[in-house]
Amino acid sequence: GHNYNFLLNEKGDAFSWGNGSGGKLGYESLKKSINFPKIVLQLQGNFINYVALGEQMSIVYSGKKIF
């Protein structure tokens, strides 16, 4: 993405960091930037398979749902 990143681990957890403007990091309450990977709690309980990053948005796919 544009100035932000996502990371998936082997357990299917999603982490994000970088420029959080517009909520694109996946944290409703966090709209600022963070400099280290932080787990996206709203996605826990879903095994995340893929993440697509755009300039202003992220799409996350779990095999059952698109977030």
Side-chain angles (χ1 to χ4, degrees), residues 27-44:
Y27 317 114
E28 288 183 10
S29 62
L30 181 63
K31 307 290 187 203
K32 60 182 180 177
S33 295
I34 58 172
N35 296 322
F36 55 90
K38 180 178 175 180
I39 193 164
V40 182
L41 295 175
Q42 293 176 325
L43 297 174
Q44 279 191 307

Side-chain angles (χ1 to χ4, degrees):
H2 186 70
N3 295 321
Y4 71 105
N5 298 288
F6 265 76
L7 167 78
L8 303 177
N9 68 11
E10 68 280 351
K11 297 178 184 178
D13 297 318
F15 298 79
S16 64
W17 70 100
N19 179 348
S21 65
K24 63 187 168 217
L25 293 178
Y27 317 114
E28 288 183 10
S29 62
L30 181 63
K31 307 290 187 203
K32 60 182 180 177
S33 295
I34 58 172
N35 296 322
F36 55 90
K38 180 178 175 180
I39 193 164
V40 182
L41 295 175
Q42 293 176 325
L43 297 174
Q44 279 191 307
N46 297 285
F47 189 96
I48 305 302
N49 300 93
Y50 301 101
V51 177
L53 305 179
E55 188 170 329
Q56 295 296 323
M57 65 176 222
S58 309
I59 298 173
V60 178
Y61 177 66
S62 73
K64 297 178 183 177
K65 295 180 183 178
I66 296 175
F67 300 90

